[in-house]
Amino acid sequence: MTAGTAASPPNPPPPRTLNIAAERARTPGSFTGHHFNSAGAALLANGTVEAVIDHLRAESLSGGYEAAKHAAPALEAVYARTAELLGARLEEVALVESATAGWQRAVSALRLRPGDRVLAARSSYVSSALHLLSVERDHGVLVELLPNGPDGAVDLEALEAALRAGPAALVTAAHVPTSSGLVEPVAAIGELARAHGVPFLLDATQSLGQLPVDMGTIGCDLLIGTGRKFLRGPRGTGLLAVRRPLLDRLAPEAPDVRGARWTAERSWELVPDAKRFELWEAAHALRLGLGAALADLSALGVDTVARHLDTLGASLRERLSALPGVHVTDPPAAGGAIVTFVVDGMDASDVQRQLAYRRVHLIAVPAGHGRWDMDHRGLTKVVRASVHVYNDEDDLDALVEAVREIVRLQQRGKAPSPSPEPSPSEPDIPPAFSATDPEPAPTPHPPDISRSFSRRHDAIVVGLGVHGSATLRHLAARGLDVLGLEQFRLGHDLGSSHGETRMIRRAYPHPDWDALVDTAYQAWTELEGASKAQLLDITGGLYAAPDDRPDPLRGPGCRQVGAEEAARIFPGLRLPTGFTAVHDPRAGIIDAQETLRAQLTLAERSGARIEDNSPVLGWEPDGDEVVVRTGEGILRTRRLVLCTGPWTAAQVPSLAPHLTVTRIVNAYFAADPTGPLGPSGLGSFSVDLPQGLLYGFPATDGRGLKAGLDSGPTWTPEAPRPDATAEELALLAEAVAQVLPGAGPVTESLTCLYTMTADRRFVVGEVPGAPQVLVASACSGHGFKFGPAIGEALADLVCGIARPDLDFLSPARLLSGRTP
């Protein structure tokens, strides 16, 4: 280069690009649907979850104080990452429990007095507004709302006029409100506030993590934020930053040992930094999770994230605006990740529910969460979608197409609902199989069956009896891509879930069952409401056994009665000498066939796919997934749920030594339904006789008294299933004659298979050695009553929600010999 020649400026480095596939890979929730609720609570990355769990594990091993001491360097690093994110000094940063907690401590420390003016933007969040209104009412502070300009943002000229009108104590605005994608001109607001010497409090809860936020550039003196939104931190974490010199002038109204030192009987001094706003008691595990999330954001680069979110947000606004019947409600000054809209003729909450039904997850925001903004714009409620680093164009396609479908159905007057009202000309639930057809037709396969076998599912449920169908229903309702496989035809009579009736009761021999029994009753109530069908008939129940039984039944609301009182309760039942009974007034009868029909239909309505006549030939873990082999091809799934009843041992060979399949005979006996063996003289019952446990139900359905013995020969599930033999029926008739005088001859019979464990408890939980696979053998003759509750529990486990209440049913107890 010759003298006098100016040097050319170096080429700026190209902007960094975001690897969306990598972000999705470390975000398990991104595979459970299309998630658009980062403005509420974003999906957590694996590293964040592991940081939380690791510290909780450390606390469990060494204690909370010791674990915190060990983690002190990592905890201090969270402050450093926060300061770096905010463009603040380390000593200006405090960690708090939520943005609202930070707001309240900061505003309280300002010690606002009667007549002090607070200039507040209409973008203010509900919790902030309520606090200001409370201070106005209780302390005489004057809260002045700043008008918006034509673009929907704070009118800067009006703000300057308000600042010139007289002294103000505070200016506050939300960088991005909860109710729209508006981005306030915060740097301009900060410049005006600084010019007039007024502190500026910025609510950055919706901007941290999606927009660059630098306190120096913006000119704010105080800033609050939350960890759970675009920062992708855990719930229960928040940020408060106070810049000097204002920090030195603020003192919290209620100092804590974390932020103050008690120096003498009546004196104390605050710590010199922003930790004066903190409390001693803190969730260190959550703060370490926040630190992991901040480290992830730093590695990606805030500018890189902001570009991606702005691009997706702009595309979504444009595409939704193009849909007839859809109106984007963001003001002209909108940008970034949040998009709000309404659908003609539909409440926003109904739109939200319809989208969730299609595995698209977002939220409806009512005016009560942003009344200064939404009332002013004539809005009562909006649908809010918010994108993040794990969203891509496929997610946008899913959202837009789902909204398009909802609008089309709405315009036709046929908008469906997850729990639609039945048409007067249609049954409440279209049957998944005919109640009168002993061999129902298989579910037809779609024309291009090969495509389903190249698809990766969130979950596959094998076996569609009462527990499998319940699990399928709950998984589909949560938006998972779930497939149900049944090796026979739906409604077959080869397993344990067929037949007309089952028993429900609260009487159990051990308190371990009480909580699950209570959960089961609640689950049945929920299922009846969802299916609009009566599934339970509460008849009351008597459960009798010899006086010296070592483990008598008991349970909430149950009481022991003698033979005389038992005869008054159920005149049709006669107890043998030396027997007492437990009376359970909440016991009753389950409509078993209707239950299966309801659960399968609700599962299909929520998007589950069902394949019957599809036996599973084998499965094996493959990394974090499971490969499932069927007769028609290979399937892949994140989680496999085995509800295979008598075939459980074949699917999980390690459990085979602990499971015994037993053939059970049930029969109907001629009985007058208006007599003592009908509902007026009998309810559900059991009597522990020498022949076995006799159980049954009154003659209620025109088929007579139903009874069975809870014992029988061991059986191979694959073996032919002959009808009940004359010897089996004679043994059952002998038992019936002992306690049910007046019962006539057998009119019909049926058989089923029970899968028994030595302790007669279920097997529910992870398959040992294969955490991707869950097994449920809610067996030993008393599992049907828990069907809806077991299905919900398995759905929880699939979704990573711990269920310690089921530990007493863990498969691991059998392999370790830990049986009661």
Side-chain angles (χ1 to χ4, degrees):
M1 182 169 57
T2 60
T5 303
S8 300
N11 292 326
R16 295 163 61 185
T17 58
L18 188 69
N19 186 339
I20 304 173
E23 294 309 303
R24 292 175 66 84
R26 64 190 191 91
T27 308
S30 64
F31 297 104
T32 64
H34 306 281
H35 292 270
F36 294 93
N37 195 20
S38 300
L43 297 177
L44 302 182
N46 283 328
T48 300
V49 176
E50 290 165 4
V52 174
I53 293 174
D54 285 349
H55 188 76
L56 290 176
R57 187 174 291 112
E59 287 187 344
S60 74
L61 295 174
S62 61
Y65 284 10
E66 292 79 2
K69 182 177 180 180
H70 179 75
L75 288 166
E76 283 302 312
V78 182
Y79 291 89
R81 289 171 181 152
T82 302
E84 179 185 11
L85 174 71
L86 302 179
R89 298 173 182 172
L90 187 63
E91 66 269 18
E92 295 173 334
V93 171
L95 299 179
V96 291
E97 301 73 41
S98 68
T100 298
W103 166 281
Q104 291 174 348
R105 290 174 201 168
V107 172
S108 296
L110 289 169
R111 308 297 173 97
L112 299 174
R113 297 171 298 178
D116 280 348
R117 298 170 64 223
V118 175
L119 308 180
R122 289 190 170 274
S123 55
S124 300
Y125 182 57
V126 52
S127 299
S128 307
L130 292 175
H131 188 207
L132 291 178
L133 293 174
S134 175
V135 172
E136 181 179 55
R137 182 191 63 190
D138 298 340
H139 299 289
V141 172
L142 304 177
V143 179
E144 300 178 17
L145 293 185
L146 297 168
N148 291 337
D151 62 355
V154 165
D155 187 325
L156 296 175
E157 292 184 359
L159 170 59
E160 185 169 16
L163 289 168
R164 286 179 174 172
L170 181 68
V171 172
T172 181
H175 197 169
V176 178
T178 194
S179 48
S180 78
L182 167 70
V183 180
E184 292 278 25
V186 291
I189 295 173
E191 183 178 0
L192 288 172
R194 186 167 55 248
H196 289 269
V198 180
F200 174 27
L201 169 54
L202 177 65
D203 177 355
T205 56
Q206 296 289 12
S207 57
L208 287 175
Q210 73 138 323
L211 297 172
V213 178
D214 184 285
M215 294 183 71
T217 303
I218 293 171
C220 63
D221 304 279
L222 305 101
L223 179 145
I224 61 165
T226 185
R228 64 183 161 89
K229 297 178 184 288
F230 291 97
L231 291 180
R232 300 184 66 190
R235 297 191 70 175
T237 57
L239 313 174
L240 168 61
V242 186
R243 300 191 72 200
R244 285 198 157 102
L246 180 62
L247 173 61
D248 298 325
R249 303 200 303 267
L250 298 187
E253 284 191 335
D256 178 79
V257 65
R258 170 69 169 171
R261 297 184 183 91
W262 198 2
T263 56
E265 269 198 19
R266 294 183 176 274
S267 61
W268 73 93
E269 61 182 25
L270 296 173
V271 298
D273 57 21
K275 290 185 178 69
R276 64 181 61 182
F277 296 104
E278 295 186 1
L279 300 180
W280 166 256
E281 186 55 41
H284 295 307
L286 299 183
R287 289 186 175 180
L288 291 169
L290 175 61
L294 292 174
D296 285 344
L297 178 60
S298 178
L300 293 175
V302 174
D303 291 338
T304 301
V305 172
R307 279 194 301 272
H308 174 70
L309 302 191
D310 187 62
T311 299
L312 285 184
S315 176
L316 184 57
R317 277 188 207 91
E318 181 180 357
R319 294 178 64 178
L320 287 172
S321 296
L323 294 179
V326 176
H327 304 281
V328 172
T329 55
D330 291 338
I338 298 176
V339 180
T340 58
F341 63 97
V342 294
V343 174
D344 285 346
M346 291 189 72
D347 183 87
S349 293
D350 290 334
V351 177
Q352 176 193 352
R353 284 190 287 269
Q354 289 296 328
L355 290 171
Y357 181 61
R358 293 162 173 82
R359 301 177 65 243
V360 177
H361 306 290
L362 38 64
I363 198 167
V365 178
H369 284 194
R371 201 163 288 283
W372 286 348
D373 169 41
M374 294 179 67
D375 282 0
H376 181 69
R377 296 191 288 144
L379 298 169
T380 58
K381 193 183 295 185
V382 295
V383 185
R384 186 184 71 194
S386 45
V387 296
H388 216 314
V389 293
Y390 42 74
N391 291 120
D392 56 17
E393 288 294 337
D394 288 342
D395 289 317
L396 298 194
D397 290 343
L399 171 55
V400 172
E401 290 309 310
V403 173
R404 189 193 310 275
E405 179 184 358
I406 291 169
V407 171
R408 184 170 63 250
L409 293 172
Q410 168 70 12
Q411 291 172 343
R412 294 177 182 173
K414 298 180 180 180
S417 167
S419 299
E421 292 292 334
S423 165
S425 62
E426 297 176 350
D428 285 352
I429 297 182
F433 54 89
S434 169
T436 59
D437 184 0
E439 296 190 66
T443 303
H445 295 307
D448 187 6
I449 186 65
S450 63
R451 294 190 62 186
S452 71
F453 290 94
S454 62
R455 184 175 178 181
R456 177 185 181 279
H457 298 277
D458 294 325
I460 294 177
V461 179
V462 182
L464 298 181
V466 64
H467 302 101
S469 61
T471 305
L472 191 75
R473 175 211 165 197
H474 280 287
L475 289 171
R478 298 184 190 197
L480 272 67
D481 179 348
V482 59
L483 171 67
L485 298 177
E486 170 56 57
Q487 63 175 326
F488 304 114
R489 293 182 178 181
L490 295 179
H492 67 82
D493 61 358
L494 301 175
S496 308
S497 291
H498 60 283
E500 299 291 333
T501 52
R502 293 293 191 282
M503 185 184 298
I504 187 167
R505 58 182 166 88
R506 297 177 300 177
Y508 266 79
H510 196 283
D512 280 353
W513 292 96
D514 290 352
L516 190 58
V517 169
D518 182 59
T519 301
Y521 271 85
Q522 296 175 36
W524 282 105
T525 300
E526 187 275 332
L527 178 58
E528 285 186 317
S531 63
K532 295 179 171 54
Q534 181 179 346
L535 304 176
L536 300 186
D537 181 12
I538 301 301
T539 63
L542 281 177
Y543 307 103
D547 295 340
D548 58 355
R549 174 173 170 163
D551 56 345
L553 296 183
R554 29 67 61 217
C558 301
R559 63 187 181 92
Q560 193 173 55
V561 298
E564 185 176 341
E565 186 174 0
R568 288 197 298 269
I569 296 171
F570 284 172
L573 182 68
R574 181 181 64 197
L575 300 189
T577 302
F579 275 58
T580 56
V582 169
H583 179 223
D584 181 355
R586 289 289 298 159
I589 303 171
I590 300 170
D591 187 332
Q593 187 165 258
E594 181 67 16
T595 294
L596 292 180
R597 191 166 70 93
Q599 292 189 151
L600 289 172
T601 302
L602 289 170
E604 287 190 301
R605 283 182 179 173
S606 293
R609 177 169 179 165
I610 295 174
E611 302 275 358
D612 62 357
N613 293 310
S614 299
V616 169
L617 306 180
W619 57 267
E620 60 184 15
D622 183 19
D624 293 334
E625 299 185 343
V626 184
V627 174
V628 181
R629 291 185 293 107
T630 74
E632 298 189 59
I634 301 296
L635 301 170
R636 299 187 71 88
T637 181
R638 287 196 310 113
R639 291 291 183 268
L640 176 65
V641 185
L642 300 171
C643 300
T644 47
W647 295 270
T648 299
Q651 292 292 338
V652 189
S654 63
L655 297 179
H658 309 281
L659 302 176
T660 301
V661 177
T662 304
R663 168 183 160 98
I664 301 295
V665 171
N666 289 267
Y668 286 89
F669 294 79
D672 181 359
T674 64
L677 297 184
S680 63
L682 195 64
S684 69
F685 66 88
S686 71
V687 185
D688 197 354
L689 297 171
Q691 298 94 329
L693 182 70
L694 178 73
Y695 59 87
F697 310 103
T700 57
D701 56 4
R703 300 173 70 180
L705 169 81
K706 181 182 177 181
L709 280 173
D710 194 5
S711 60
T714 58
W715 208 264
T716 301
E718 292 78 15
R721 196 78 52 81
D723 293 338
T725 65
E727 291 79 8
E728 289 172 322
L729 293 176
L731 180 67
L732 178 56
E734 177 188 346
V736 168
Q738 284 183 247
V739 296
L740 296 159
V746 172
T747 58
E748 60 179 298
S749 64
L750 66 154
T751 66
C752 65
L753 298 180
Y754 283 4
T755 309
M756 301 285 194
T757 58
D759 59 7
R760 297 185 73 89
R761 293 188 173 190
F762 309 157
V763 181
V764 181
E766 291 182 357
V767 171
Q772 312 94 318
V773 184
L774 300 170
V775 62
S777 181
C779 46
S780 297
H782 61 109
F784 199 104
K785 66 178 68 66
F786 294 99
I790 294 294
E792 184 173 12
L794 288 169
D796 282 345
L797 294 173
V798 166
C799 295
I801 301 171
R803 289 297 300 262
D805 57 315
L806 300 182
D807 286 350
F808 76 111
L809 305 177
S810 167
R813 83 181 194 279
L814 299 179
L815 302 184
S816 65
R818 298 195 314 269
T819 55

